[in-house]
Amino acid sequence: MAEPGDQAWMRRAIALAQVHLGRTGDNPSVGCVIVADGVAVGEGATGVGGRPHAEEVALDQAGAAAKGATAYVTLEPCAERSSGAASCSELLARAGVARVVVACKDASVLAAGRGTERLRAAGVTVELGVAAQEAAQLYGAYKPKA
C-alpha cells in the first residue's frame, strides 16, 4: 500500500534517471533513491554506457543505512545480469532493504517480474505502479531484451 511521501521520493528517482537518458547504451536509464527514517541515504542513476546500475550506486552510497530502508526505483530491479554479476534484486535483498517501490515493470527477459518475485521471496515488501505514468516517459525508446 502506498505511503505518504512515496510520490515525492519517486519523482526524485525519476529526476535522477533523466540525467543519463539516452546515454546508457542498451540499458534503460533508471533512478534509485534509498530512504531511511524520512531521509535519502543513497541516490543513483544508471551510469553512462549502462553500468553501474542505479541500485548499485544508491546502495554503495547508503551502506549500512540501507538495512530496513525503502528503495524507490523507476524500473523493476533486474533478476539477473548479462555480465553474471549479482542482480539488483539480489543486491537490494542482501542489503536488508525492507521495502522496494517500483514505478514501472520491466519486460526485459532479465527482469520480467522475476526481480520483484525475488524480492518478495526474500521478505521484502514490493509496491508497484507509484508514479508509473511519469516514469513511463523515460522508457518510450527502451527496447527490452526479449
Side-chain angles (χ1 to χ4, degrees):
M1 176 179 269
E3 294 181 6
D6 283 353
Q7 292 285 332
W9 287 117
M10 187 60 77
R11 281 194 292 277
R12 175 63 186 148
I14 291 167
L16 290 167
Q18 289 171 331
V19 172
H20 292 157
L21 194 59
R23 299 174 42 204
T24 57
D26 291 340
N27 285 342
S29 186
V30 175
C32 178
V33 179
I34 300 176
V35 177
D37 299 319
V39 176
V41 295
E43 294 187 339
T46 305
V48 172
R51 299 278 189 277
H53 286 190
E55 298 92 331
E56 292 176 281
V57 176
L59 285 168
D60 284 349
Q61 204 175 85
K67 187 169 179 65
T70 297
Y72 294 87
V73 188
T74 58
L75 192 67
E76 178 184 5
C78 61
E80 66 180 282
R81 301 274 293 267
S82 59
S83 67
S87 70
C88 292
S89 57
E90 285 178 88
L91 294 173
L92 289 162
R94 275 192 218 157
V97 169
R99 183 171 173 253
V100 176
V101 179
V102 177
C104 299
K105 291 183 180 182
D106 186 350
S108 168
V109 69
L110 300 176
R114 295 181 311 128
T116 54
E117 286 172 17
R118 172 177 279 131
L119 290 165
R120 287 183 174 124
V124 177
T125 299
V126 177
E127 305 283 343
L128 294 170
V130 172
Q133 286 184 317
E134 289 176 60
Q137 295 175 26
L138 296 166
Y139 305 115
Y142 168 52
K143 305 291 183 231
K145 295 174 181 160

